[in-house]
Amino acid sequence: MASSHSSSPVPQGSSSDVFFKKEVDPTKHIRPVQSLPDVCPKEPTVTDQHRWTVYHSKVNLPAALNDPRLAKRESDFFTKTWGLDFVDTEVIPSFYLPQISKEHFTVYQQEISQREKIHERCKNICPPKDTFDRTLLHTHDKSRTDLEQVPKIFMKPDFALDDSLTFNSVLPWSHFNTAGGKGNRDAASSKLLQEKLSHYLDIVEVNIAHQISLRSEAFFHAMTSQHELQDYLKKTSQAVKMLRDKIAQIDKVMCEGSLHILRLALTRNNCVKVYNKLKLMATVHQTQPTVQVLLSTSEFVGALDLIATTQEVLQQELQGIHSFRHLGSQLCELEKLIDKMMIAEFSTYSHSDLNRPLEDDCQILEEERLVSLVFGLLKQRKLNFLEIYSEEMIITAKNIIKQCVINKVSQIEEIDTDIVMKLADQMRMLNFPQWFDLLKDIFSKFTIFLQRVKATLNIIHSVVLSVLDKNRRTRELEEISQQKNVTKDNSLDTEVAYLIHEGMFISDAFNESELTPIAIDTTSQRNASPNSEPCSSDSVSEPECTTDSSSSKEQTSSSATPGGVDIMVNEDMKLTDLELEKLANNIQELLYSASDICHDRAVKFLMSRAKDGFLEKLNSTEFITLSRLMETFILDTEQICGRKSMSLLGALQSQANKFVNRFHEERKTKLSLLLDNERWKQADVPAEFQDLVDSISGGKIALPEKKLGATEERKPAEVLIVEGQQYAVVGTVLLLIRIILEYCQCVDNIPSVTTDMLTRLSDLLKYFNSRSCQLVLGAGALQVVGLKTITTKNLALSSRCLQLIVHYIPVIRAHFEARLQPKQYSMLRHFDHITKDYHDHIAEISAKLVAIMDSLFDKLLSKYEVKAPVPSACFRNICKQMAKMHEAIFDLLPEEQTQMLFLRINASYKLHLKKQLSHLNVINDGGPQNGLVTADVAFYTGNLQALKGLKDLDLNMSEIWEQKR
């Protein structure tokens, strides 16, 4: 409470101002002092009460608390102490003061706890000395006793009346309740409380005065030393004045001229800087006209570099220049305009490059212009220019086909363009040779077109790769520099450790190591340019001389395009390696797309011609010619673009499948007609068929060239000679051989249909086997051709024809195997199945021949009787039938097969004879019946061995007799 009513402040000066600052008027720096109330008898008059005097320091605390100017003493504590205008209002907590809690002192308590423990321990060990006498001790005890009357709440360090609990304990509200009839008693209680508090105040003031009296000697000593201090200050002030005079003289004599020279030099440098800045501003001011000149010559890269350099200068060197405040935005708009101009220029270039005459030998049109455009587009990150080129390729491919069709149709007089208006209809009026020439022309134009596209894309690709290579080299250089810096830091740390170990001064060592390279660099610069001249007065100093060069930090690396044009790669290409690699891949994909576009347009051209079934009506020669042309074009485009396009190949495969189906159906129908009209008689073999067979003898299957003159002079042969063996065949088989060779030849001409041809040929061979079986073994020829009966000669001839086909199946298999992929070898099993079926059919024919004789033996020998004459009529008939059988098949079948067949027939004969002899109970006992049978058997054996080719046949007739039991 007393602290809020302390004495007026005394003016005090800063200690630093006493010695180093000039004397100033105190009234300018000291606040006006408010006077205390008039309570002292010796204080000045009313006119001087606002001027502070020594009497103001003698005002005691009760006088400060009791205001004598009030009319009366109020009974209320607040109005008495704080004035009549006091209003009890709620104090709003300040927003600017933080809420302080005990947690804020946690760190401090942790830090001071250890020291507090040490202090308490030391205090217990060493008690304080008793330096006061008993009088002072008695006085101290009395003061302490008086102070104990003051409640402890006033002595607390956190005493504050703004705390509601503290306020209520000091000033209970019960003493201020004036309601009802208790007013007099409450007033008395309030007065008693006021007197109690005043008593506490007096006790405190007495103790304060006592403490001041105990320290009076220190106050008097301070007053005495004040005079000595003033003497020291006076001497010091005189010394400072003398020193200032000397410094002023030294400044005038020694420093003022030199400083003036330095100021002039600094002024000159500033003027030079301003001059160079003005020159730079003049250069920047010419940016827009220069850009316009560059754009007029299509120098887009130069214009963009100039804009970038100017923007960098504006941001770094001319920042804040008011006259250029709009230049940056103007340059941005100009840069956007250049972007649009470059895209339009690239579109124009693409159109002119792709649509120029294809007869022109120049592969690349204006290579330098293309390189400049690509660099500009890459610099501006306009990476969609490939889409423009792709769209132009599609349009050009359409125009190439259209122009070729127009040129071809205009050369043919039979086509009236006035009647047939549509170009597609005019194209469909072309015959195959004309249409084939048109297709060949289109393919040749497409080849040239792809070569030009590849050359252009190679230039673009080389530009992209050069930029990518520059980025990688720059990154490698940065990594190397970083590694050098790390190595330098490591060596520096090692040197520091060494110096510490040796006890040297590290700062001195650093100064030596830094000064040495500086001296070396200075010496090398002087030696390198002994005749170099310093900057003239019109130029700037060395840091300013490099303003223009440093403003455009462009380092270039050079490379060359495939056409020989040098590529200067700027450093400000801000494309990442990922973007550049993706762009390079897109360029390669665009080349593939160009090939696909040409193939797609060719497919549409083919499909438009195939609408009326034109391609399906082509004969084998025409289709093979068309297929070879398309395959050649496919290979050429694959060689140019590096990838095989599948659209035209798929269309060719589709047409080839249709051709194979028609090819197979035609030949199967032809074979069916031949078989249905075949009378199964031996046919003569024309010389051309013999030549056909001879051409296969070397293992190669190929249709021989026709020789008309030689064919007319040579007569047909009776049999077909294949590798020394004679084959008696029917005419259908000869044509079947030729059909088989046509299948094989078609595989050579159209390799893509190998698998289909293999399947179709297998079907054809199976059809011949099954149909011939139906006609001969099944006797279908009786109804189809009208044969009276199926003779043994028909059967033998059919067997020999099948044997001829079986002979060529391994050759056919080898032919297809050489043209199949290893994963397709499983298809060759069809030939194994066909060979088995043919062998089964041949075996069935042999069994049929044996069955014919078996039924004859059963019929004749069932009537055999052992009696004279010898030979009997039965054996004569048997020998006659055997002779007919031999006569029918001997000229058709080889001798080995004839012998094997007659051995089987003889076995059947012996079986039936043995059965009949057993039925007749004729045994080999040497009797008369035995002699008759032996004579008949000898007649049969003699006649059978007399037949051609059966002389050495082992008949073993002893088996006809049953063994004796």
Side-chain angles (χ1 to χ4, degrees), residues 235-389:
K235 293 179 182 179
T236 303
S237 178
Q238 293 175 354
V240 169
K241 183 177 180 181
M242 185 182 299
L243 180 62
R244 285 179 176 176
D245 293 339
K246 290 182 179 179
I247 291 174
Q249 292 177 2
I250 293 172
D251 182 37
K252 183 175 181 181
V253 174
M254 300 183 65
C255 300
E256 194 170 300
S258 301
L259 288 175
H260 182 64
I261 293 173
L262 291 176
R263 290 192 187 96
L264 291 177
L266 182 60
T267 303
R268 178 184 178 279
N269 287 335
N270 291 335
C271 292
V272 170
K273 289 180 181 179
V274 172
Y275 171 71
N276 285 290
K277 190 73 71 175
L278 290 174
K279 286 203 304 182
L280 184 60
M281 291 174 63
T283 304
V284 171
H285 184 66
Q286 295 298 321
T287 298
Q288 288 178 311
T290 307
V291 169
Q292 296 293 340
V293 173
L294 292 174
L295 293 180
S296 64
T297 58
S298 298
E299 289 291 337
F300 299 106
V301 178
L304 290 172
D305 290 340
L306 180 58
I307 290 174
T309 304
T310 304
Q311 287 178 337
E312 188 176 358
V313 171
L314 287 175
Q315 293 175 0
Q316 295 180 359
E317 314 246 349
L318 300 180
Q319 189 175 11
I321 302 299
H322 187 71
S323 60
F324 288 151
R325 64 186 183 277
H326 300 304
L327 183 59
S329 60
Q330 293 174 357
L331 292 177
C332 291
E333 293 297 328
L334 190 59
E335 189 173 359
K336 294 179 181 179
L337 177 62
I338 293 175
D339 293 345
K340 296 179 181 179
M341 291 178 64
M342 284 193 300
I343 293 175
E345 183 72 13
F346 185 80
S347 179
T348 304
Y349 174 84
S350 302
H351 180 77
S352 59
D353 178 47
L354 296 176
N355 289 278
R356 57 196 171 101
L358 296 173
E359 293 78 12
D360 190 2
D361 294 335
C362 180
Q363 291 288 336
I364 303 173
L365 180 66
E366 299 180 11
E367 183 176 348
E368 295 181 355
R369 176 186 174 192
L370 175 61
V371 172
S372 176
L373 281 172
V374 173
F375 264 119
L377 292 170
L378 292 179
K379 183 180 179 67
Q380 296 302 107
R381 301 177 65 90
K382 300 296 181 182
L383 306 181
N384 58 344
F385 63 94
L386 295 179
E387 298 176 2
I388 300 174
Y389 198 79

Side-chain angles (χ1 to χ4, degrees), residues 510-525:
F510 282 168
N511 291 333
E512 292 177 2
S513 62
E514 290 175 359
L515 288 173
T516 303
I518 294 175
I520 294 173
D521 292 342
T522 306
T523 306
S524 61
Q525 290 177 0

